[in-house]
Coordinates of all heavy atoms in Angstrom, one line a residue:
M1469 N -235.9 81.0 -4.0 CA -236.9 81.2 -5.0 C -236.8 82.7 -5.4 O -236.5 83.6 -4.6 CB -238.3 81.0 -4.3 CG -239.4 81.3 -5.2 SD -241.0 80.9 -4.4 CE -240.7 79.3 -3.6
R1470 N -237.0 83.0 -6.7 CA -236.9 84.3 -7.2 C -238.1 84.7 -8.0 O -238.5 83.9 -8.9 CB -235.6 84.4 -8.0 CG -235.3 85.8 -8.5 CD -233.9 85.8 -9.1 NE -233.6 87.0 -9.8 CZ -233.4 88.2 -9.3 NH1 -233.3 88.3 -8.0 NH2 -233.1 89.3 -10.0
L1471 N -238.6 85.9 -7.8 CA -239.7 86.4 -8.6 C -239.3 87.7 -9.2 O -238.8 88.6 -8.5 CB -240.9 86.7 -7.7 CG -242.1 87.5 -8.3 CD1 -242.8 86.7 -9.3 CD2 -243.0 87.9 -7.2
E1472 N -239.4 87.8 -10.5 CA -239.0 89.0 -11.2 C -240.2 89.5 -12.1 O -240.7 88.7 -12.9 CB -237.8 88.7 -12.1 CG -237.3 89.9 -12.8 CD -236.1 89.6 -13.6 OE1 -236.1 88.7 -14.5 OE2 -235.1 90.3 -13.4
I1473 N -240.5 90.7 -11.9 CA -241.6 91.4 -12.7 C -241.0 92.5 -13.5 O -240.3 93.4 -12.9 CB -242.7 91.9 -11.8 CG1 -243.4 90.8 -11.1 CG2 -243.8 92.7 -12.7 CD1 -244.4 91.2 -10.1
I1474 N -241.1 92.4 -14.8 CA -240.6 93.4 -15.7 C -241.8 94.1 -16.3 O -242.7 93.5 -16.8 CB -239.7 92.8 -16.9 CG1 -238.6 91.9 -16.3 CG2 -239.2 93.9 -17.8 CD1 -237.6 92.7 -15.4
I1475 N -241.8 95.5 -16.1 CA -242.9 96.3 -16.6 C -242.4 97.1 -17.8 O -241.4 97.8 -17.7 CB -243.4 97.2 -15.5 CG1 -243.9 96.4 -14.3 CG2 -244.5 98.1 -16.0 CD1 -244.3 97.1 -13.1
D1476 N -243.1 97.0 -18.9 CA -242.8 97.7 -20.1 C -242.7 99.2 -19.9 O -243.6 99.8 -19.3 CB -243.9 97.5 -21.2 CG -243.5 97.9 -22.6 OD1 -242.6 98.8 -22.7 OD2 -244.1 97.5 -23.5
R1477 N -241.5 99.8 -20.2 CA -241.3 101.2 -20.0 C -242.3 102.1 -20.7 O -242.6 103.2 -20.3 CB -239.9 101.6 -20.5 CG -238.8 101.1 -19.5 CD -237.5 101.7 -20.0 NE -236.4 101.0 -19.2 CZ -235.7 100.0 -19.7 NH1 -235.9 99.6 -20.9 NH2 -234.8 99.4 -19.0
K1478 N -242.9 101.6 -21.8 CA -243.9 102.3 -22.5 C -245.2 102.5 -21.7 O -246.0 103.4 -22.0 CB -244.3 101.6 -23.8 CG -243.2 101.5 -24.8 CD -243.6 100.7 -26.0 CE -242.3 100.4 -26.9 NZ -242.6 99.3 -27.8
K1479 N -245.4 101.7 -20.7 CA -246.5 101.9 -19.8 C -246.4 103.0 -18.8 O -247.3 103.4 -18.2 CB -246.8 100.6 -19.0 CG -247.0 99.3 -19.8 CD -248.3 99.4 -20.5 CE -248.5 98.1 -21.2 NZ -249.6 98.1 -22.1
Q1480 N -245.2 103.6 -18.8 CA -244.9 104.8 -18.0 C -245.3 104.6 -16.5 O -245.9 105.5 -15.9 CB -245.5 106.0 -18.6 CG -245.0 106.3 -20.0 CD -245.6 107.6 -20.6 OE1 -246.5 108.1 -20.1 NE2 -245.0 108.0 -21.7
V1481 N -244.9 103.5 -15.9 CA -245.2 103.2 -14.5 C -244.0 103.9 -13.7 O -242.8 103.6 -14.1 CB -245.2 101.7 -14.2 CG1 -245.4 101.4 -12.7 CG2 -246.4 101.1 -15.0
S1482 N -244.3 104.7 -12.8 CA -243.3 105.4 -12.1 C -242.4 104.5 -11.2 O -242.9 103.5 -10.7 CB -243.9 106.5 -11.2 OG -244.4 105.9 -10.0
P1483 N -241.2 104.9 -11.0 CA -240.3 104.2 -10.1 C -240.9 104.0 -8.7 O -240.6 103.0 -8.0 CB -239.0 105.0 -10.1 CG -239.0 105.8 -11.3 CD -240.5 106.0 -11.6
D1484 N -241.6 105.0 -8.2 CA -242.3 104.9 -6.9 C -243.3 103.8 -6.8 O -243.4 103.0 -5.8 CB -243.0 106.2 -6.5 CG -242.0 107.4 -6.3 OD1 -240.8 107.1 -6.0 OD2 -242.5 108.5 -6.3
I1485 N -244.0 103.6 -7.9 CA -245.0 102.5 -8.0 C -244.3 101.2 -8.0 O -244.7 100.2 -7.3 CB -246.0 102.7 -9.1 CG1 -246.9 103.9 -8.9 CG2 -246.8 101.4 -9.3 CD1 -247.8 104.3 -10.0
M1486 N -243.3 101.1 -8.8 CA -242.5 99.8 -8.9 C -241.9 99.5 -7.6 O -241.9 98.3 -7.2 CB -241.5 99.9 -10.0 CG -242.1 99.9 -11.4 SD -240.9 99.6 -12.7 CE -240.2 101.2 -12.9
A1487 N -241.3 100.4 -6.9 CA -240.7 100.2 -5.5 C -241.8 99.8 -4.5 O -241.6 98.8 -3.7 CB -240.0 101.4 -5.1
A1488 N -243.0 100.4 -4.6 CA -244.1 100.1 -3.7 C -244.6 98.6 -4.0 O -244.8 97.9 -3.0 CB -245.2 101.1 -3.8
L1489 N -244.7 98.3 -5.2 CA -245.1 97.0 -5.6 C -244.1 95.9 -5.1 O -244.5 94.9 -4.5 CB -245.3 96.8 -7.1 CG -245.6 95.5 -7.7 CD1 -246.9 94.9 -7.0 CD2 -245.7 95.5 -9.2
E1490 N -242.8 96.2 -5.3 CA -241.8 95.3 -4.8 C -241.9 95.1 -3.3 O -241.8 93.9 -2.8 CB -240.4 95.8 -5.2 CG -239.3 94.9 -4.9 CD -238.0 95.4 -5.4 OE1 -237.9 95.6 -6.7 OE2 -237.0 95.4 -4.6
Q1491 N -242.0 96.2 -2.6 CA -242.1 96.1 -1.1 C -243.4 95.3 -0.7 O -243.3 94.5 0.3 CB -242.1 97.5 -0.5 CG -240.8 98.1 -0.6 CD -239.7 97.3 0.1 OE1 -239.8 96.9 1.2 NE2 -238.6 97.1 -0.7
E1492 N -244.5 95.5 -1.3 CA -245.7 94.8 -1.0 C -245.6 93.3 -1.3 O -246.0 92.5 -0.5 CB -246.9 95.4 -1.7 CG -248.2 94.9 -1.2 CD -248.6 95.1 0.2 OE1 -248.0 96.0 0.9 OE2 -249.5 94.4 0.7
L1493 N -245.0 93.0 -2.4 CA -244.8 91.6 -2.8 C -243.9 90.9 -1.8 O -244.2 89.8 -1.3 CB -244.3 91.5 -4.2 CG -245.2 91.8 -5.3 CD1 -244.5 91.9 -6.6 CD2 -246.4 90.8 -5.4
L1494 N -242.8 91.6 -1.4 CA -241.9 91.0 -0.4 C -242.7 90.8 0.9 O -242.5 89.7 1.6 CB -240.7 92.0 -0.1 CG -239.6 91.9 -1.1 CD1 -238.6 93.0 -0.9 CD2 -238.9 90.5 -0.9
K1495 N -243.5 91.7 1.3 CA -244.2 91.6 2.6 C -245.2 90.4 2.5 O -245.3 89.6 3.4 CB -245.0 92.9 2.9 CG -245.7 92.9 4.2 CD -246.3 94.3 4.4 CE -247.8 94.3 4.2 NZ -248.4 95.6 4.4
Q1496 N -246.0 90.4 1.4 CA -247.1 89.4 1.3 C -246.5 88.0 1.0 O -247.0 87.1 1.7 CB -248.1 89.8 0.2 CG -248.8 91.1 0.4 CD -249.9 90.9 1.5 OE1 -250.5 89.9 1.7 NE2 -250.1 92.0 2.2
L1497 N -245.6 87.9 0.1 CA -245.1 86.6 -0.3 C -244.1 86.1 0.7 O -243.9 84.9 0.9 CB -244.5 86.7 -1.7 CG -245.4 87.2 -2.8 CD1 -244.7 87.3 -4.1 CD2 -246.7 86.3 -2.9
G1498 N -243.4 87.0 1.4 CA -242.4 86.6 2.4 C -243.0 85.8 3.5 O -242.3 85.0 4.1
R1499 N -244.2 86.0 3.8 CA -244.9 85.3 4.9 C -244.9 83.8 4.6 O -244.8 82.9 5.4 CB -246.3 85.8 5.1 CG -246.4 87.2 5.6 CD -247.8 87.6 5.8 NE -247.8 89.1 6.1 CZ -248.8 89.8 5.8 NH1 -249.9 89.4 5.2 NH2 -248.8 91.1 6.1
R1500 N -245.2 83.5 3.3 CA -245.4 82.1 2.9 C -244.1 81.5 2.4 O -243.9 80.3 2.5 CB -246.5 82.0 1.8 CG -247.0 80.6 1.6 CD -248.2 80.6 0.7 NE -249.3 81.3 1.3 CZ -250.5 81.1 1.0 NH1 -250.9 80.2 0.1 NH2 -251.5 81.8 1.6
F1501 N -243.3 82.4 1.8 CA -242.0 81.9 1.2 C -240.9 82.8 1.7 O -240.4 83.7 1.1 CB -242.0 82.1 -0.4 CG -243.2 81.4 -1.0 CD1 -244.3 82.1 -1.4 CD2 -243.2 80.0 -1.2 CE1 -245.4 81.4 -2.0 CE2 -244.2 79.3 -1.8 CZ -245.4 80.1 -2.2
P1502 N -240.3 82.4 2.9 CA -239.3 83.3 3.6 C -238.1 83.5 2.8 O -237.3 84.4 3.0 CB -239.1 82.6 4.9 CG -239.9 81.4 4.9 CD -240.7 81.3 3.7
D1503 N -237.8 82.6 1.9 CA -236.5 82.7 1.1 C -236.7 83.4 -0.2 O -235.8 83.5 -1.0 CB -236.0 81.3 0.8 CG -236.9 80.4 -0.1 OD1 -238.1 80.7 -0.1 OD2 -236.3 79.6 -0.8
I1504 N -237.8 84.0 -0.5 CA -238.1 84.6 -1.8 C -237.3 85.9 -2.0 O -237.1 86.7 -1.0 CB -239.6 84.9 -2.0 CG1 -239.9 85.2 -3.4 CG2 -240.1 86.0 -1.1 CD1 -241.4 85.0 -3.8
Q1505 N -236.9 86.1 -3.2 CA -236.2 87.3 -3.6 C -237.2 87.9 -4.7 O -237.6 87.2 -5.6 CB -234.9 87.1 -4.3 CG -233.9 86.5 -3.3 CD -232.6 86.1 -4.0 OE1 -232.6 85.9 -5.2 NE2 -231.5 86.0 -3.2
V1506 N -237.4 89.2 -4.6 CA -238.4 89.9 -5.5 C -237.7 91.1 -6.1 O -236.9 91.8 -5.5 CB -239.6 90.4 -4.7 CG1 -240.5 91.2 -5.7 CG2 -240.4 89.3 -4.0
R1507 N -237.9 91.2 -7.4 CA -237.4 92.3 -8.2 C -238.5 92.8 -9.1 O -239.1 92.0 -9.9 CB -236.2 91.9 -9.0 CG -235.6 93.0 -9.9 CD -234.3 92.5 -10.6 NE -233.8 93.6 -11.5 CZ -233.9 93.5 -12.8 NH1 -234.3 92.5 -13.4 NH2 -233.4 94.6 -13.5
V1508 N -238.7 94.1 -9.1 CA -239.6 94.8 -10.0 C -238.8 95.8 -10.7 O -238.2 96.7 -10.1 CB -240.8 95.4 -9.3 CG1 -241.7 96.1 -10.3 CG2 -241.6 94.3 -8.5
A1509 N -238.8 95.8 -12.1 CA -238.0 96.7 -12.8 C -238.7 97.0 -14.2 O -239.5 96.3 -14.6 CB -236.6 96.1 -13.1
G1510 N -238.2 98.1 -14.8 CA -238.6 98.5 -16.1 C -237.8 97.7 -17.2 O -236.7 97.3 -16.9
G1511 N -238.5 97.5 -18.3 CA -237.8 96.8 -19.4 C -238.5 97.1 -20.7 O -239.3 98.0 -20.8
S1512 N -238.1 96.3 -21.7 CA -238.6 96.5 -23.1 C -240.0 95.9 -23.3 O -240.6 96.1 -24.3 CB -237.6 96.1 -24.1 OG -237.3 94.7 -24.0
N1513 N -240.4 95.0 -22.4 CA -241.7 94.4 -22.5 C -242.1 93.9 -21.2 O -241.4 93.9 -20.2 CB -241.7 93.3 -23.6 CG -240.7 92.2 -23.3 OD1 -240.1 92.1 -22.2 ND2 -240.3 91.5 -24.4
M1514 N -243.3 93.4 -21.1 CA -243.9 92.9 -19.8 C -243.4 91.4 -19.6 O -243.5 90.6 -20.6 CB -245.4 92.9 -19.8 CG -246.0 94.3 -20.0 SD -245.7 95.4 -18.6 CE -247.0 94.8 -17.5
A1515 N -243.1 91.1 -18.4 CA -242.7 89.7 -18.1 C -242.8 89.4 -16.6 O -242.7 90.2 -15.8 CB -241.2 89.4 -18.5
L1516 N -243.2 88.1 -16.3 CA -243.2 87.6 -15.0 C -242.4 86.3 -15.0 O -242.7 85.4 -15.7 CB -244.6 87.3 -14.5 CG -244.8 86.6 -13.2 CD1 -244.3 87.4 -12.1 CD2 -246.3 86.1 -13.0
N1517 N -241.3 86.4 -14.3 CA -240.4 85.2 -14.2 C -240.3 84.7 -12.8 O -240.0 85.5 -11.9 CB -239.0 85.6 -14.7 CG -239.0 86.2 -16.1 OD1 -239.5 85.6 -17.0 ND2 -238.4 87.3 -16.3
I1518 N -240.5 83.4 -12.7 CA -240.3 82.7 -11.4 C -239.4 81.6 -11.5 O -239.5 80.7 -12.4 CB -241.7 82.2 -10.9 CG1 -242.7 83.3 -10.8 CG2 -241.6 81.5 -9.6 CD1 -244.2 82.9 -10.6
T1519 N -238.3 81.6 -10.7 CA -237.3 80.6 -10.8 C -237.1 79.9 -9.5 O -237.4 80.5 -8.4 CB -235.9 81.2 -11.3 OG1 -235.5 82.2 -10.5 CG2 -236.1 81.7 -12.8
R1520 N -236.5 78.8 -9.5 CA -236.2 78.0 -8.3 C -237.5 77.7 -7.5 O -237.5 77.8 -6.3 CB -235.1 78.6 -7.4 CG -233.8 78.7 -8.1 CD -232.8 79.3 -7.3 NE -233.0 80.8 -7.3 CZ -232.4 81.7 -6.6 NH1 -231.4 81.3 -5.9 NH2 -232.7 82.9 -6.7
A1521 N -238.5 77.3 -8.2 CA -239.8 77.0 -7.6 C -240.5 75.8 -8.3 O -240.2 75.6 -9.5 CB -240.8 78.2 -7.6
S1522 N -241.2 75.1 -7.5 CA -242.0 73.9 -8.1 C -243.1 74.5 -9.0 O -243.5 75.6 -8.9 CB -242.5 73.0 -7.1 OG -243.5 73.7 -6.3
K1523 N -243.7 73.6 -9.8 CA -244.8 74.0 -10.6 C -246.0 74.5 -9.7 O -246.6 75.5 -10.1 CB -245.3 72.8 -11.5 CG -246.5 73.1 -12.4 CD -246.9 71.9 -13.2 CE -248.1 72.3 -14.0 NZ -248.7 71.2 -14.7
E1524 N -246.2 73.8 -8.6 CA -247.3 74.3 -7.7 C -247.0 75.6 -7.1 O -247.9 76.5 -7.0 CB -247.5 73.2 -6.6 CG -248.1 71.9 -7.1 CD -247.0 71.0 -7.7 OE1 -245.8 71.2 -7.5 OE2 -247.4 70.1 -8.5
E1525 N -245.7 75.8 -6.7 CA -245.3 77.1 -6.1 C -245.5 78.2 -7.2 O -245.9 79.3 -6.8 CB -243.9 77.1 -5.6 CG -243.7 76.2 -4.4 CD -242.3 76.0 -4.0 OE1 -241.4 75.9 -4.9 OE2 -242.0 75.9 -2.8
K1526 N -245.1 78.0 -8.4 CA -245.2 79.0 -9.5 C -246.7 79.4 -9.7 O -247.0 80.5 -9.8 CB -244.6 78.4 -10.8 CG -243.1 78.4 -10.8 CD -242.6 77.9 -12.1 CE -241.1 77.8 -12.1 NZ -240.6 77.4 -13.4
E1527 N -247.6 78.4 -9.7 CA -249.0 78.7 -9.9 C -249.5 79.5 -8.7 O -250.3 80.5 -8.9 CB -249.8 77.4 -10.0 CG -249.5 76.6 -11.3 CD -250.2 75.3 -11.4 OE1 -250.8 74.8 -10.4 OE2 -250.0 74.6 -12.4
L1528 N -249.1 79.1 -7.5 CA -249.6 79.9 -6.3 C -249.0 81.3 -6.3 O -249.7 82.3 -6.1 CB -249.1 79.2 -5.0 CG -249.5 79.9 -3.7 CD1 -251.0 80.1 -3.6 CD2 -248.9 79.1 -2.5
L1529 N -247.7 81.5 -6.7 CA -247.1 82.8 -6.8 C -247.8 83.7 -7.8 O -248.1 84.8 -7.6 CB -245.7 82.7 -7.1 CG -244.7 82.4 -5.9 CD1 -243.3 82.0 -6.4 CD2 -244.7 83.5 -4.9
E1530 N -248.2 83.1 -9.0 CA -248.9 83.8 -10.0 C -250.2 84.4 -9.5 O -250.6 85.5 -9.7 CB -249.1 83.0 -11.2 CG -247.8 82.8 -12.0 CD -248.0 81.8 -13.2 OE1 -249.1 81.3 -13.4 OE2 -247.0 81.5 -13.8
E1531 N -250.9 83.5 -8.7 CA -252.2 83.9 -8.1 C -252.0 85.0 -7.1 O -252.8 86.0 -7.1 CB -252.9 82.7 -7.5 CG -253.4 81.7 -8.4 CD -254.0 80.4 -7.7 OE1 -254.3 80.5 -6.5 OE2 -254.1 79.4 -8.4
L1532 N -251.0 84.9 -6.2 CA -250.8 85.9 -5.2 C -250.3 87.2 -5.8 O -250.7 88.3 -5.3 CB -249.7 85.3 -4.2 CG -250.2 84.1 -3.4 CD1 -249.0 83.6 -2.6 CD2 -251.3 84.5 -2.5
V1533 N -249.5 87.2 -6.8 CA -249.1 88.4 -7.5 C -250.3 89.1 -8.1 O -250.5 90.3 -7.9 CB -248.0 88.1 -8.6 CG1 -247.9 89.4 -9.5 CG2 -246.7 87.7 -8.0
Q1534 N -251.2 88.4 -8.7 CA -252.4 88.9 -9.2 C -253.3 89.6 -8.1 O -253.8 90.7 -8.3 CB -253.3 87.8 -10.0 CG -254.5 88.3 -10.6 CD -254.2 89.2 -11.8 OE1 -253.2 89.0 -12.5 NE2 -255.1 90.1 -12.1
E1535 N -253.4 88.9 -7.0 CA -254.2 89.5 -5.9 C -253.6 90.8 -5.4 O -254.3 91.7 -5.1 CB -254.2 88.5 -4.7 CG -255.2 87.3 -5.0 CD -255.1 86.3 -3.8 OE1 -254.7 86.6 -2.7 OE2 -255.5 85.1 -4.1
V1536 N -252.2 90.8 -5.2 CA -251.6 92.0 -4.8 C -251.8 93.1 -5.8 O -252.2 94.3 -5.4 CB -250.1 91.8 -4.6 CG1 -249.3 93.1 -4.4 CG2 -249.8 90.9 -3.4
W1537 N -251.7 92.9 -7.1 CA -251.9 93.9 -8.1 C -253.3 94.4 -8.1 O -253.6 95.6 -8.2 CB -251.5 93.4 -9.5 CG -251.6 94.4 -10.5 CD1 -252.6 94.5 -11.5 CD2 -250.8 95.5 -10.7 NE1 -252.4 95.6 -12.2 CE2 -251.3 96.3 -11.8 CE3 -249.6 96.0 -10.1 CZ2 -250.7 97.5 -12.2 CZ3 -249.0 97.1 -10.5 CH2 -249.6 97.9 -11.6
E1538 N -254.3 93.5 -7.9 CA -255.7 93.9 -7.9 C -256.1 94.7 -6.7 O -257.0 95.4 -6.7 CB -256.6 92.7 -8.0 CG -256.5 92.1 -9.4 CD -257.3 90.8 -9.6 OE1 -257.9 90.3 -8.5 OE2 -257.4 90.3 -10.7
N1539 N -255.3 94.6 -5.6 CA -255.5 95.3 -4.4 C -254.6 96.5 -4.3 O -254.1 96.9 -3.2 CB -255.3 94.4 -3.2 CG -255.9 95.0 -1.9 OD1 -256.8 95.8 -1.9 ND2 -255.4 94.5 -0.8
A1540 N -254.3 97.2 -5.4 CA -253.3 98.2 -5.5 C -253.6 99.4 -4.6 O -252.7 100.1 -4.1 CB -253.2 98.7 -6.9
E1541 N -254.9 99.7 -4.3 CA -255.2 100.8 -3.5 C -254.6 100.7 -2.1 O -254.4 101.7 -1.4 CB -256.7 101.1 -3.4 CG -257.5 100.0 -2.8 CD -257.9 98.8 -3.7 OE1 -257.6 98.9 -4.9 OE2 -258.5 97.9 -3.1
S1542 N -254.3 99.5 -1.6 CA -253.8 99.3 -0.3 C -252.3 99.6 -0.2 O -251.7 99.8 0.9 CB -254.1 97.9 0.2 OG -253.3 96.9 -0.5
W1543 N -251.5 99.5 -1.3 CA -250.1 99.7 -1.3 C -249.5 100.8 -2.2 O -248.4 101.3 -2.0 CB -249.4 98.4 -1.6 CG -249.7 97.8 -2.9 CD1 -250.6 96.8 -3.1 CD2 -249.2 98.2 -4.2 NE1 -250.8 96.6 -4.5 CE2 -249.9 97.3 -5.2 CE3 -248.3 99.1 -4.7 CZ2 -249.6 97.4 -6.5 CZ3 -248.0 99.1 -6.1 CH2 -248.7 98.3 -7.0
M1544 N -250.3 101.2 -3.2 CA -249.8 102.2 -4.1 C -249.7 103.6 -3.5 O -250.5 104.0 -2.7 CB -250.8 102.3 -5.3 CG -250.2 103.1 -6.5 SD -251.3 103.2 -7.9 CE -251.1 101.5 -8.5
P1545 N -248.6 104.3 -3.7 CA -248.4 105.6 -3.2 C -249.6 106.5 -3.5 O -250.1 106.5 -4.6 CB -247.1 106.1 -3.8 CG -246.4 104.9 -4.3 CD -247.5 103.9 -4.6
E1546 N -250.0 107.3 -2.5 CA -251.1 108.2 -2.6 C -251.1 109.1 -3.8 O -252.0 109.4 -4.5 CB -251.4 109.0 -1.4 CG -251.8 108.1 -0.2 CD -252.9 108.6 0.6 OE1 -253.5 109.6 0.2 OE2 -253.2 108.0 1.6
S1547 N -249.9 109.6 -4.1 CA -249.7 110.6 -5.2 C -249.9 109.9 -6.5 O -250.1 110.6 -7.5 CB -248.3 111.2 -5.2 OG -247.3 110.2 -5.3
S1548 N -249.9 108.6 -6.6 CA -250.1 107.8 -7.8 C -251.5 107.4 -8.1 O -251.9 107.0 -9.2 CB -249.2 106.6 -7.8 OG -247.9 107.0 -7.6
V1549 N -252.4 107.4 -7.1 CA -253.7 107.0 -7.2 C -254.6 108.0 -7.9 O -254.5 109.2 -7.5 CB -254.3 106.6 -5.8 CG1 -255.8 106.1 -6.0 CG2 -253.5 105.5 -5.1
A1550 N -255.3 107.6 -8.9 CA -256.1 108.6 -9.7 C -257.4 108.8 -9.0 O -258.0 108.0 -8.3 CB -256.3 108.0 -11.1

């Protein structure tokens, strides 16, 4: 299973934040999906791509990604928190 999050470069999200998000997703999602591969990168627009997963797994992954993002204070580097 593969999860890819592309963040629009115009949003000016630092590489440190993208790396921290990738690590937190690997940690959180890896518990439930040990075969998951996660990639967070900059791009020309925003995208969330999930491949090699069932419809139910995709829905669950979308919910879990949302939860991780909403709980950013627990994983975001301190220098990035406003």
Side-chain angles (χ1 to χ4, degrees):
M1469 178 180 315
R1470 183 168 170 81
L1471 168 71
E1472 181 178 55
I1473 298 176
I1474 306 299
I1475 299 174
D1476 189 340
R1477 286 186 192 100
K1478 294 175 193 164
K1479 301 289 184 194
Q1480 298 180 349
V1481 175
S1482 78
D1484 289 344
I1485 292 174
M1486 288 192 279
L1489 175 58
E1490 185 173 308
Q1491 289 304 308
E1492 186 65 18
L1493 288 169
L1494 277 170
K1495 184 173 106 179
Q1496 296 289 328
L1497 303 178
R1499 294 178 189 153
R1500 197 171 297 204
F1501 305 100
D1503 67 331
I1504 195 163
Q1505 297 174 338
V1506 177
R1507 177 175 178 250
V1508 178
S1512 59
N1513 55 21
M1514 300 291 280
L1516 172 65
N1517 301 310
I1518 302 169
T1519 56
R1520 295 180 284 179
S1522 69
K1523 181 180 178 184
E1524 293 79 19
E1525 289 172 329
K1526 286 180 181 182
E1527 290 172 358
L1528 178 57
L1529 280 170
E1530 288 173 1
E1531 289 174 18
L1532 293 172
V1533 167
Q1534 183 70 30
E1535 287 176 20
V1536 168
W1537 183 254
E1538 288 175 356
N1539 195 24
E1541 66 276 355
S1542 70
W1543 56 264
M1544 191 175 289
E1546 293 222 8
S1547 62
S1548 303
V1549 178

